[in-house]
Amino acid sequence: MEQTTVDMELSQEQELGRSNAEPLLSIEDLHVSFHTYAGEVHAVRGVTYSVGHGGSLAVVGESGCGKTVTVQTVMGLTPIPPGQIKGGRVIFNGQDLLRLSEKQMQSIRGKDIGMIFQDPMTGLNPTMTVGRQIAETVQRHHKISNREAMDKAVEMLSLVDIPNPQVRARQYPHQFSGGMRQRAMVAMALACEPLLLIADEPTTSLDVTIQSQILDLLQNLQERLGMTIVLISHNLGVVACLAKDIVVMYAGKVVEKGSSSDVFCNAAHPYTRALLRSVPRLDREIRGELASIPGTPPDLFQPPVGCAFAPRCKYAMKVCTKCDAQPIRIGDNHYVSCWLHHEANPNNPLKNQFENGGHTSD
Amino acid sequence: MTDPVLQVENLKKYFEIGKRQTLKAVDEVSFTVARGEVLGVVGESGCGKTTLGRTVARLYKPTSGKIIFDGEDITAKSETELLGFRKKLQMIFQDPYASLDPRMTAGEIIAEPIDIHNLAGGSERTQRIHYLLNLVGLNPEHANRFPHEFSGGQRQRIGIARALALDPEFIIADEPISSLDVSIQAQIVNLLTRLQEEGGLSFMFIAHDLSMVRHFSHRVAVMYLGKIVEIAPSGKLHASPLHPYTKALMSANPIPDPVIENSRTRITLPGEVPSPINPPPGCRFAERCPHAHDRCREQEPVLEEEETGHWVSCFLY
């Protein structure tokens, strides 16, 4: 019914956005640290990535690699102190978010950028009905009556395929199941028709069959509303299914970025390759040992001087421990920060496999 | 099956939750595990897989049914009588943060089962601790450290060392890797595989990650709402799943390959796992099943052998 109006409004907004070729969100050389009793944690150490209008970008990495801190900084949600933004720019829709006041951020947060959190139970207020919470988000940015806001909430709940939205809107989060709560979170994030949706591990706390439902929903919304999505996940399967572009992070830095097929089929960084091979695949018979990565990620209190992955990397060279590699362009939109691919390295052990499509195991 | 180390027959574990309500966590489950075999148990949260593991380990008292371990019926034994059984069957728990006492050092944690069973003392005990730490890929110096000084993967290694301290025949691993990072998961699974192959251990490997279960297990049992709906050799189950739930479960697992992911269609089940409190009659999956017909809602299917070694509980077959 009213769903079509949402669609139309969104597509109009999107066309306006598309007219400029600039990326919608561009993070440039971002540095974020946290001051703790034990010392300064260099959580994000020079992250650069961007996502265009209508694009879908996934940030992959293990816990503690800085993927969440990066987007929290974009949203202005990093607690300061103990956090400190040590440098860099976050350009969203033409303005630098890091220069805005908290008040200005409040008018962007929830309106232009929506966010879905990992844990739907802590993301929702247990003392308010779900409908009221969605309505509150809308009323924060638009001057409309309570009744109109509630109608909007019901409309949003039906958009995310919650059955009986009228009844559900009057219920509290504890009356919702995990999957439903996550849908409600999506509804809330989309209520103000944001230009950008940030989904931080949206399916991690869900069961596989429910994860599949939420993935379908996000895919559907993306296709229907042409929404721009930044997805954060450690699940490579989820990433393969939703994202067109991929950023791989390790120890607070971007180690590889490219299109989804670049990264999955032509992975160039030893970390990306190892990560891809360490997950057994349901569609393939693999016997024997899984390719595991020895050791653990480095301590970010004292980040290593050279490449952070060097101690765990089987291709590590002398230069890797002394100096960190800068991003090297190896394909249309495919960048890797690894000395192996440097033009001064004549015998790149990954090169042959790389040219063979990267599927050969080493 | 030759030489089963564990036989479970019609095992039930009900929890009375007041007002004449019963939560049927495990309902009429039967299976066997052969010596040196790894049985994977998969299912979504609330399907009873953890309760099954804990009941088999006799951490819970079964409501009815039989558990025969090494030819001995342990269903109704008392705690003191179980001491010998506990020596042969050990558990690895899901959360390496919660399952280690923060006030004990790694060495004390690993030695606790040795002390309880009075297996070694003095230098022999120390040697045993160092041997176990080495076995799971830690250093002997780690014995004096406390759990908070270790990373998640290292903690899980301590949990594994503790489980191995008594040289058990059988290990029940309840989601041993689900709280770990991807690159660490592979390390732990490789460690378990090595220990299993070298020590000829039998395993019950409980997990929700199908691909890991496939990798590690010889046979896989799929659970739904307290029942085993399908049980088959690992390769067979993945090549030709029979039960509609198994099919959906496999299809729901996204594959880390954009080419495949963009070309295939996922079977997405409607709704969610219903409550195990007073479940409806008939097949428990009927509500969400794309093939359900009237009979499924009235009668309950039983687990039957469809092909050699491949059991399924569904009226379609």
Side-chain angles (χ1 to χ4, degrees):
Chain A
M1 20 144 219
E2 281 175 66
Q3 221 158 283
T4 41
T5 46
V6 183
D7 288 8
M8 273 172 57
E9 277 168 31
L10 270 178
S11 63
Q12 274 171 3
E13 256 183 61
Q14 214 212 319
E15 265 164 35
L16 286 173
R18 252 192 223 288
S19 54
N20 52 9
E22 295 245 308
L24 178 63
L25 172 75
S26 140
I27 300 170
E28 292 163 17
D29 199 30
L30 186 70
H31 289 259
V32 183
S33 284
F34 288 93
H35 297 279
T36 67
Y37 288 112
E40 184 183 343
V41 185
H42 304 263
V44 175
R45 308 184 295 142
V47 165
T48 302
Y49 60 75
S50 61
V51 56
H53 292 270
S56 54
L57 175 95
V59 185
V60 196
E62 293 178 87
S63 35
C65 73
K67 53 192 195 301
T68 299
V69 175
T70 310
V71 292
Q72 274 179 350
T73 311
V74 170
M75 289 289 277
L77 292 175
T78 317
I80 297 174
Q84 189 194 358
I85 297 162
K86 302 203 93 175
R89 300 200 301 165
V90 175
I91 310 292
F92 172 75
N93 223 6
Q95 54 184 336
D96 187 352
L97 295 185
L98 298 184
R99 290 169 180 278
L100 297 184
S101 67
E102 173 58 24
K103 193 131 206 187
Q104 287 169 308
M105 263 322 280
Q106 278 174 5
S107 67
I108 290 183
R109 210 185 285 140
K111 182 163 172 282
D112 296 330
I113 311 178
M115 188 156 179
I116 310 173
F117 298 91
Q118 173 169 356
D119 183 354
M121 197 59 217
T122 46
L124 293 169
N125 183 342
T127 67
M128 275 166 91
T129 63
V130 172
R132 191 67 234 136
Q133 290 184 55
I134 300 173
E136 190 190 34
T137 323
V138 183
Q139 281 178 306
R140 165 118 221 153
H141 301 288
H142 300 285
K143 272 216 155 18
I144 53 170
S145 70
N146 284 348
R147 165 159 297 188
E148 281 171 318
M150 260 325 246
D151 287 346
K152 178 78 184 171
V154 172
E155 181 196 322
M156 290 319 292
L157 287 176
S158 74
L159 179 74
V160 296
D161 305 323
I162 287 186
N164 291 329
Q166 296 278 2
V167 182
R168 286 293 186 175
R170 287 195 295 271
Q171 290 184 340
Y172 288 89
H174 75 267
Q175 290 164 296
F176 279 47
S177 67
M180 292 279 228
R181 277 181 212 142
Q182 198 55 286
R183 281 171 196 270
M185 288 274 287
V186 176
M188 200 188 299
L190 297 181
C192 286
E193 295 144 34
L195 298 170
L196 172 70
L197 178 72
I198 298 178
D200 186 0
E201 304 267 9
T203 60
T204 307
S205 61
L206 306 175
D207 267 319
V208 224
T209 59
I210 308 301
Q211 165 173 295
S212 169
Q213 293 174 358
I214 298 290
L215 289 180
D216 278 356
L217 173 72
L218 288 176
Q219 243 170 353
N220 222 320
L221 290 172
Q222 200 184 356
E223 277 161 25
R224 249 170 46 205
L225 312 180
M227 207 167 43
T228 312
I229 294 187
V230 173
L231 170 79
I232 297 177
S233 183
H234 68 271
N235 186 328
L236 294 165
V238 169
V239 168
C241 136
L242 272 183
K244 291 188 192 76
D245 294 296
I246 291 175
V247 166
V248 184
M249 282 184 69
Y250 186 77
K253 288 196 175 187
V254 173
V255 294
E256 184 164 359
K257 59 184 163 190
S259 72
S260 156
S261 63
D262 284 340
V263 173
F264 277 101
C265 311
N266 272 329
H269 198 283
Y271 174 66
T272 318
R273 297 171 65 92
L275 202 61
L276 282 170
R277 271 183 291 113
S278 66
V279 247
R281 287 174 50 163
L282 210 49
D283 60 331
R284 277 198 204 150
E285 189 89 29
I286 329 163
R287 280 279 154 249
E289 190 133 321
L290 280 175
S292 67
I293 311 173
T296 44
D299 194 343
L300 292 179
F301 281 114
Q302 286 156 329
V305 194
C307 170
F309 188 61
R312 301 175 79 186
C313 179
K314 60 175 165 184
Y315 303 108
M317 303 174 286
K318 228 187 228 164
V319 61
C320 302
T321 54
K322 295 208 171 115
C323 196
D324 204 1
Q326 292 305 308
I328 298 162
R329 184 162 180 257
I330 50 168
D332 269 349
N333 235 335
H334 191 183
Y335 294 85
V336 62
S337 302
C338 177
W339 286 111
L340 290 177
H341 298 276
H342 195 270
E343 55 187 12
N345 179 17
N347 39 3
N348 176 2
L350 297 183
K351 189 141 189 171
N352 275 336
Q353 297 152 10
F354 185 58
E355 279 164 356
N356 291 339
H359 273 308
T360 40
S361 61
D362 39 298
Chain B
M1 180 108 3
T2 52
D3 191 19
V5 63
L6 176 75
Q7 279 171 280
V8 172
E9 286 166 25
N10 299 326
L11 189 70
K12 285 185 191 176
K13 177 63 198 169
Y14 293 176
F15 294 98
E16 299 296 333
I17 48 168
K19 284 188 196 160
R20 261 183 269 143
Q21 286 194 314
T22 315
L23 190 151
K24 298 183 175 176
V26 174
D27 203 9
E28 295 266 354
V29 166
S30 305
F31 63 90
T32 56
V33 180
R35 216 169 281 279
E37 185 188 41
V38 180
L39 176 75
V41 179
V42 284
E44 294 178 274
S45 37
C47 74
K49 55 190 193 302
T50 295
T51 310
L52 176 65
R54 289 178 167 242
T55 313
V56 169
R58 275 301 317 272
L59 298 181
Y60 292 145
K61 200 172 169 14
T63 306
S64 73
K66 245 184 193 172
I67 306 167
I68 298 164
F69 186 83
D70 251 353
E72 215 180 325
D73 188 344
I74 55 137
T75 324
K77 285 198 169 173
S78 70
E79 270 307 314
T80 33
E81 289 171 323
L82 280 174
L83 211 59
F85 159 73
R86 299 227 183 277
K87 206 179 136 194
K88 292 188 237 165
L89 185 142
Q90 286 285 309
M91 266 193 99
I92 301 170
F93 298 93
Q94 171 169 8
D95 186 350
Y97 293 80
S99 61
L100 304 179
D101 187 334
R103 306 207 296 177
M104 286 164 87
T105 62
E108 285 165 0
I109 290 169
I110 296 170
E112 201 178 18
I114 300 175
D115 296 342
I116 289 170
H117 292 270
N118 271 326
L119 289 184
S123 65
E124 201 188 331
R125 179 172 173 272
T126 322
Q127 262 176 18
R128 180 99 189 127
I129 296 170
H130 290 177
Y131 164 76
L132 287 163
L133 283 169
N134 266 327
L135 191 66
V136 296
L138 294 171
N139 299 325
E141 302 90 74
H142 286 142
N144 296 323
R145 290 202 204 161
F146 287 93
H148 74 267
E149 295 174 84
F150 294 97
S151 68
Q154 287 177 318
R155 280 180 222 208
Q156 200 52 289
R157 287 174 193 266
I158 298 172
I160 294 171
R162 172 176 61 186
L164 293 172
L166 299 173
D167 256 331
E169 295 171 21
F170 197 100
I171 288 182
I172 297 178
D174 185 6
E175 304 257 18
I177 52 165
S178 52
S179 62
L180 306 173
D181 259 323
V182 188
S183 74
I184 311 296
Q185 283 189 355
Q187 290 178 6
I188 298 292
V189 167
N190 283 342
L191 171 67
L192 292 176
T193 313
R194 203 189 76 215
L195 295 169
Q196 195 273 324
E197 281 168 3
E198 287 171 7
L201 288 168
S202 314
F203 262 90
M204 210 169 126
F205 184 72
I206 302 168
H208 66 269
D209 182 346
L210 276 163
S211 43
M212 275 296 177
V213 169
R214 175 199 181 151
H215 182 82
F216 185 55
S217 315
H218 300 121
R219 275 194 312 145
V220 177
V222 181
M223 280 187 81
Y224 188 79
L225 219 59
K227 298 239 176 211
I228 291 182
V229 295
E230 185 162 3
I231 183 163
S234 177
K236 211 172 194 177
L237 186 80
H238 289 84
S240 53
L242 294 176
H243 199 283
Y245 178 64
T246 318
K247 286 182 187 168
L249 201 60
M250 296 215 192
S251 158
N253 224 38
I255 291 163
D257 188 327
V259 183
I260 297 174
E261 217 26 74
N262 290 335
S263 58
R264 76 189 185 115
T265 40
R266 278 196 303 273
I267 309 173
T268 301
L269 289 176
E272 305 184 4
V273 184
S275 159
I277 302 166
N278 302 332
C283 174
R284 305 220 170 151
F285 184 58
E287 237 176 90
R288 300 173 80 193
C289 182
H291 309 287
H293 44 94
D294 293 343
R295 191 181 168 197
C296 304
R297 290 183 192 92
E298 287 151 15
Q299 245 179 305
E300 206 169 318
V302 283
L303 201 61
E304 278 170 350
E305 194 164 18
E306 185 55 30
E307 291 159 42
T308 337
H310 196 155
W311 298 66
V312 63
S313 139
C314 181
F315 289 126
L316 287 177
Y317 305 98

